[in-house]
Amino acid sequence: MSGRFIEDYEVGETLVSGTYTLTRESLVRFASEYDPQPMHIDEEFARGAGPFGDVIASGFQSVAIAFKLFVETGVFDGDVALGGPGMSDVRWLKPVFAGDELVNHATILEARRSTSKPDRGLIRVQHKLHNQSGETVVTCVTVSMVRCREPGNHGTAPGARCAAHGLR
């Protein structure tokens, strides 16, 4: 699959990713390096005095998994992705445990051309990471820059969709 240009996104569409099963080894390795709190890395603590009865994934790992699953849908294949200026509204709703099977539901909230750079546009995406029980465990909003199929084209096909929706 080739990646998607700004003209290929529809506001309101939801992309559902494949699944990712979090292993205990991956959970502890990530947390040991980036978020070394006892609830993430110390099994004895987690099973005894910890609030969740076992080690849980770092919230940062959960967000990274959500974005990995989004990328694996193929939207950024090839050279269409140009980075991202930010993320907002991160919420950790339920703990993520080793063995959880995760899937990302990514909804396009906004797709517009840049007003200052005619070769690109911005997509704003609401990510909802679900576990195998269908519970939403993490939500966040990312903003990514993607190439335009026809740079500088604000009103003729195939960029007409952007102009038709009043996006500039």
Side-chain angles (χ1 to χ4, degrees), residues 112-158:
R112 67 173 177 85
R113 285 182 176 268
S114 169
T115 55
S116 61
K117 297 185 178 173
D119 66 331
R120 66 194 64 186
L122 294 168
I123 58 170
R124 195 164 53 92
V125 181
Q126 169 74 60
H127 300 270
K128 292 183 179 180
L129 190 65
H130 299 273
N131 64 18
Q132 66 279 357
S133 300
E135 299 171 308
T136 304
V137 295
V138 173
T139 62
C140 64
V141 175
T142 58
V143 178
S144 297
M145 296 178 291
V146 296
R147 292 187 193 278
C148 293
R149 180 176 285 108
E150 294 186 23
N153 180 356
H154 287 272
T156 59

Side-chain angles (χ1 to χ4, degrees), residues 19 23 33 35 38 44 50 52 55 93 103 105 127-128 132 146 154 159:
T19 59
T23 66
E33 188 160 353
D35 192 2
E44 186 176 321
F52 304 106
V55 291
L93 305 172
V103 64
H105 295 242
H127 300 270
K128 292 183 179 180
Q132 66 279 357
V146 296
H154 287 272

Side-chain angles (χ1 to χ4, degrees), residues 2-10 13 80 111 149 158 161-162:
S2 63
R4 294 174 65 179
F5 295 92
I6 191 65
E7 296 90 348
D8 300 328
Y9 291 93
E10 290 285 343
E13 77 174 295
V80 297
R149 180 176 285 108
R161 184 178 331 148
C162 290

Side-chain angles (χ1 to χ4, degrees), residues 47-109:
R47 290 189 177 136
F52 304 106
D54 201 354
V55 291
I56 61 166
S58 165
F60 299 105
Q61 184 177 23
S62 301
V63 169
I65 290 167
F67 199 74
K68 165 192 172 55
L69 289 169
F70 174 65
V71 170
E72 288 179 348
T73 67
V75 296
F76 291 163
D77 285 359
D79 67 350
V80 297
L82 298 171
M87 173 185 294
S88 64
D89 303 313
V90 177
R91 300 289 181 265
W92 295 292
L93 305 172
K94 293 200 176 280
V96 175
F97 295 94
D100 277 357
E101 188 173 280
L102 305 167
V103 64
N104 186 9
H105 295 242
T107 301
I108 307 303
L109 301 176

